[in-house]
Amino acid sequence: MPWPLLLLPLLLLAVSGAQMTRPCFPGCQCEVETFGLFDSFSLTRVDCSGLGPHIVPVPIPLDTAHLDLSSNRLETVNESVLAGPGYTTLAGLDLSHNLLASISPTAFSRLRYLESLDISHNGLAALPAESFTSSPLSDVNLSHNRLREVSVSAFTTHSPGRALHVDLSHNLIHRLVPHPAGASLPAPAIQSLNLAWNRLRTVPDLRDLPLRYLSLDGNPLAAVGPGAFRGLAGLTHLSLGSLQGLPQLAPHGFRELQGLQVLDLSGNPKLKWAGAEVFSGLGSLQELDLSGTGLVPLPEMLLVHLPALQSISVGQGVQCRRLVREGAYPRQPGSSPKVALHCVDPRERAAESPNAL
């Protein structure tokens, strides 16, 4: 065997990552992952969770990439807690399941490489403006707090063009303040926004955001009417499941969502039809979830407004798919194929052929 082939397994082993432990601050665990040829590059994950509030500020290795400070009953976090050798290289920080009621506006100002931040399951009642302007964040989890009013500008980061995923679910949010038109900093590049299970009664103004995914599940939205989604032509996934109260879908309520591909209306038993025109403008919609709603049986004119629709979920495992019947061949001049929905209950199919593989 030629000698380059003999060296190949050794080179692959040297390039692939390896994990090992290293000495760490008492009570914490430090796990080192090495990369590159002959382990020339290493990153350390430090786990100091569940030790108590005395743990901060904790010294960490210089090459620390991720720090877990969750479940420590921390009541405050400021710049001095997150400072020192090792903190400047942090890419991930977990502060979840603590007792944080507030955070300092400059708490993360020295974390120049921070990409992922988890502050979920705390008691935050407010979010300081420009909290994240020093970090190139791509993922922020603020779910399960006590936030009532949040400014979109608070999520402006050090890398304004970088896609950002924000989770604000399970708060007390009743208002989302839009980004000011004349602001000195650009609007944050939020592409994924989870606002599920808050107290929003209207669809918030999100027109300056490059959103692709939006969840408003579980909110007490009173109605979805024309203009509700103004400026969100790039949205591809929208979830309006389990809305509280008596939600009303007005005709043309989704007409601004020309790029929408997936719409989830499941879990709304009190949702009623206001005419097939509700779905007008959704020329790109491919998947529609109507399970657990009062929107069945489906009107015949539905497919006219949804030319790209491929499947509909109508509940209890029943899936409906678009079926095109070409009719007689050769096709007569001026005629067009007939389009219909073909619904299948997988339970009935299984009962008909119980031994099918």
Side-chain angles (χ1 to χ4, degrees):
M1 181 182 297
W3 68 269
L5 295 180
L6 291 174
L7 288 178
L8 183 59
L10 295 176
L11 290 174
L12 291 176
L13 183 61
V15 172
S16 61
Q19 291 183 348
M20 64 188 74
T21 58
R22 66 184 295 178
C24 206
F25 189 80
C28 301
Q29 295 183 354
C30 292
E31 187 177 85
V32 182
E33 189 168 2
T34 57
F35 306 88
L37 191 63
F38 304 114
D39 296 337
S40 57
F41 181 67
S42 66
L43 293 174
T44 301
R45 297 178 64 90
V46 180
D47 185 351
C48 296
S49 61
L51 299 178
H54 67 278
I55 193 63
V56 295
V58 57
I60 57 177
L62 291 175
D63 61 350
T64 300
H66 185 274
L67 175 61
D68 187 348
L69 291 174
S70 64
S71 305
N72 279 316
R73 304 190 302 279
L74 300 177
E75 296 183 2
T76 182
V77 170
N78 53 40
E79 187 177 357
S80 63
V81 170
L82 303 173
Y87 284 87
T88 55
T89 62
L90 274 183
L93 176 62
D94 189 346
L95 293 168
S96 66
H97 295 275
N98 279 292
L99 304 176
L100 300 176
S102 63
I103 54 175
S104 167
T106 59
F108 311 109
S109 61
R110 299 186 182 182
L111 307 183
R112 302 289 181 173
Y113 297 96
L114 190 66
E115 298 179 0
S116 176
L117 177 62
D118 189 347
I119 324 179
S120 64
H121 295 274
N122 278 280
L124 294 179
L127 193 63
E130 302 181 3
S131 299
F132 312 119
T133 52
S134 299
S135 304
L137 284 166
S138 60
D139 187 18
V140 181
N141 188 350
L142 285 159
S143 64
H144 295 274
N145 277 280
R146 303 190 62 80
L147 298 170
R148 296 177 178 274
E149 184 174 296
V150 176
S151 173
V152 170
S153 302
F155 298 99
T156 300
T157 68
H158 182 62
S159 301
R162 186 172 190 175
L164 180 61
H165 305 276
V166 177
D167 189 346
L168 289 168
S169 63
H170 295 276
N171 276 274
L172 306 173
I173 299 172
H174 64 88
R175 182 170 181 250
L176 207 66
V177 181
H179 186 74
S184 58
L185 295 174
I190 301 177
Q191 290 195 5
S192 174
L193 180 58
N194 189 349
L195 289 168
W197 299 100
N198 278 284
R199 298 184 178 181
L200 294 167
R201 295 190 174 276
T202 59
V203 177
D205 185 354
L206 304 169
R207 72 182 75 184
D208 291 325
L209 304 180
L211 280 177
R212 305 282 291 173
Y213 171 87
L214 174 63
S215 175
L216 294 167
D217 292 350
N219 280 280
L221 295 181
V224 175
F229 300 100
R230 185 178 294 112
L232 297 181
L235 195 69
T236 59
H237 289 67
L238 174 62
S239 188
L240 297 171
S242 302
L243 299 177
Q244 305 300 299
L246 295 170
Q248 299 292 323
L249 299 182
H252 310 288
F254 299 112
R255 65 182 178 186
E256 293 93 354
L257 302 179
Q258 296 92 343
L260 195 68
Q261 298 177 15
V262 179
L263 175 60
D264 186 351
L265 294 171
S266 64
N268 289 297
K270 298 180 181 179
L271 201 61
K272 303 298 181 183
W273 282 114
E277 292 80 10
V278 165
F279 298 106
S280 64
L282 296 177
S284 301
L285 193 70
Q286 299 178 19
E287 299 179 23
L288 177 61
D289 193 342
L290 299 177
S291 56
T293 70
L295 305 184
V296 289
L298 304 173
E300 295 180 358
M301 293 298 295
L302 180 64
L303 293 179
V304 175
H305 297 283
L306 302 174
L309 188 68
Q310 297 299 317
S311 67
I312 302 179
S313 298
V314 295
Q316 298 182 347
V318 178
Q319 288 278 340
C320 299
R321 296 194 174 276
R322 189 184 192 89
L323 186 64
V324 179
R325 295 186 175 92
E326 294 291 344
Y329 185 83
R331 184 184 301 171
Q332 299 297 319
S335 65
S336 59
K338 294 182 179 180
V339 180
L341 285 173
H342 178 62
C343 300
V344 177
D345 188 339
R347 296 171 302 175
E348 294 180 359
R349 178 179 294 177
E352 294 174 359
S353 53
N355 297 321
L357 296 177

